[in-house]
Amino acid sequence: MDFVDYYKTLEISKTATEADIKKAYRKLARKYHPDVNPNDKESHKKFQQINEANEVLSDPEKRKKYDQYGKDWKHADQYEKARQQQGARQSYGGGGFGGQDFGEYTYSSGDDSSFSDFFESLFGGSKKTRQQAKYRGQDYNAELHLSLNDAYVTHKQTVTINDKNVRITIPAGVENGQVIRLKNYGSPGVNGGPNGDLYITFILSNNTNFKREGNNLYKDEDLDLYTALLGGEKTIDTLNGKIKLKVTPETQNGTKVRLKGKGFPVYKKEGEFGDLYISWNIKLPTNLTEKQKELFTELSKL
């Protein structure tokens, strides 16, 4: 397996703090994001590499293993267990390293053949035997940006992972920040081991005049003074088309109307929707004619 220098990928030093890592990741993710570089395979590949590096270095435990074991960091637990078993055999006079002190091993960005040879001797087997062990592939992480209208309906989209197009079905009602897992769409396993998984995080943008809270939608709607006083009808837009609402006479400013089942679809529950709440914003008339002013004056005297 080729060594990948995650520090180099994120363009940071090995002494970088968590804040440095976070800042570097955000900067590079924006630069190489597929939405910014459509149809650019190299940018898509770079974006995946950045995500992979961030996943490891932003996790203190994974970073510690990576710093110590380099390309073999994923198998650190197995190596440590083997070292403990080897030490136990040495204590009881069997096998071992002849009293040699191997100390702490750190990776190098150059040739790490001696590092691999150490683990080969640690397991007490040949290189061929060591390579026959099966290991699960690494998980991938990706972001998929949707609009509120996109998330309102179940639909299909294609995401590109390591130059491979993956067609996925996105159920209506997904939340901002929600993560789904696609099993076996991650990195290939080692020596016949299972593939890793692909985790997709949904990032929702809202370019509508609706406010979403869970499965409910909220909207302010203007209402003229005359309809508010005398009652009538008002046509409003929803995410699923236009509807007519009856306005009761003497409706007050800020009055809320609940439209049951006209909100956002419930995730993975076909046919179920939240509610839509309309708040009336009564608009006072402007540029009154002289006649209108007279009529309002008469009304004020009654």
Side-chain angles (χ1 to χ4, degrees):
M1 183 185 299
D2 294 335
F3 172 76
V4 179
D5 190 334
Y6 290 146
Y7 290 100
K8 185 176 180 181
T9 299
L10 290 183
E11 300 176 6
I12 55 177
S13 68
K14 296 174 185 176
T15 59
T17 64
E18 290 185 17
D20 293 335
I21 294 170
K22 188 175 184 180
K23 182 179 179 181
Y25 168 70
R26 287 182 173 176
K27 176 183 176 182
L28 294 173
R30 284 194 295 266
K31 180 178 179 181
Y32 292 101
H33 198 283
D35 288 350
V36 181
N37 305 278
N39 304 319
D40 188 337
K41 291 185 178 181
E42 285 303 316
S43 291
H44 290 189
K45 183 177 180 181
K46 181 70 174 178
F47 182 72
Q48 294 304 322
Q49 292 171 345
I50 292 167
N51 276 324
E52 180 180 327
N54 180 65
E55 180 186 0
V56 175
L57 298 185
S58 63
D59 185 314
E61 188 63 29
K62 290 181 180 179
R63 183 181 181 183
K64 180 180 178 182
K65 292 177 181 179
Y66 176 77
D67 286 345
Q68 184 173 353
Y69 295 101
K71 74 181 183 65
D72 296 297
W73 72 271
K74 286 189 242 179
H75 314 311
D77 293 338
Q78 293 97 315
Y79 295 152
E80 284 300 321
K81 183 177 180 181
R83 287 184 66 176
Q84 293 171 5
Q85 292 173 345
Q86 188 68 35
R89 288 197 297 271
Q90 182 177 348
S91 298
Y92 287 100
F97 301 115
Q100 299 179 53
D101 182 10
F102 287 90
E104 292 294 326
Y105 278 77
T106 56
Y107 77 86
S108 166
S109 59
D111 181 13
D112 62 346
S113 58
S114 60
F115 183 79
S116 298
D117 290 341
F118 162 68
F119 285 117
E120 181 180 319
S121 63
L122 182 63
F123 281 105
S126 67
K127 196 170 188 179
K128 180 178 179 182
T129 301
R130 179 168 58 87
Q131 289 179 341
Q132 289 176 347
K134 295 181 179 181
Y135 297 106
R136 181 178 178 274
Q138 185 175 349
D139 293 334
Y140 288 154
N141 291 277
E143 290 182 354
L144 185 57
H145 291 248
L146 303 173
S147 69
L148 194 66
N149 287 300
D150 291 333
Y152 186 80
V153 294
T154 297
H155 66 286
K156 295 181 181 294
Q157 282 205 27
T158 300
V159 294
T160 303
I161 306 296
N162 279 5
D163 298 329
K164 293 183 179 179
N165 291 331
V166 181
R167 187 77 166 168
I168 64 173
T169 298
I170 303 173
V174 294
E175 295 269 4
N176 182 48
Q178 184 173 341
V179 180
I180 65 170
R181 182 185 73 153
L182 299 182
K183 192 174 181 181
N184 296 327
Y185 278 91
S187 173
V190 179
N191 298 326
N195 291 355
D197 299 330
L198 169 61
Y199 290 87
I200 297 179
T201 302
F202 293 104
I203 307 298
L204 268 63
S205 61
N206 186 359
N207 56 356
T208 73
N209 53 5
F210 293 91
K211 179 182 177 182
R212 180 186 180 187
E213 291 184 4
N215 297 317
N216 294 328
L217 293 174
Y218 298 82
K219 183 183 182 184
D220 292 333
E221 194 74 34
D222 290 341
L223 187 65
D224 67 83
L225 177 64
Y226 308 108
T227 305
L229 287 172
L230 304 175
E233 289 185 338
K234 172 75 173 181
T235 300
I236 65 169
D237 292 316
T238 73
L239 289 180
N240 194 30
K242 297 181 181 291
I243 59 173
K244 281 187 178 181
L245 286 183
K246 288 185 177 180
V247 180
T248 59
E250 302 179 8
T251 293
Q252 299 298 305
N253 186 56
T255 298
K256 288 186 178 181
V257 179
R258 176 192 176 203
L259 304 179
K260 188 175 181 180
K262 295 297 182 180
F264 217 73
V266 180
Y267 182 69
K268 284 192 173 181
K269 291 188 178 181
E270 190 71 27
E272 291 190 28
F273 293 80
D275 300 329
L276 169 60
Y277 291 86
I278 300 294
S279 293
W280 292 122
N281 179 30
I282 298 175
K283 304 291 289 185
L284 296 179
T286 59
N287 301 319
L288 297 176
T289 65
E290 291 301 321
K291 181 62 177 179
Q292 288 172 324
K293 290 178 181 179
E294 290 178 10
L295 292 174
F296 275 113
T297 300
E298 291 182 17
L299 283 172
S300 68
K301 294 178 181 179
L302 295 178

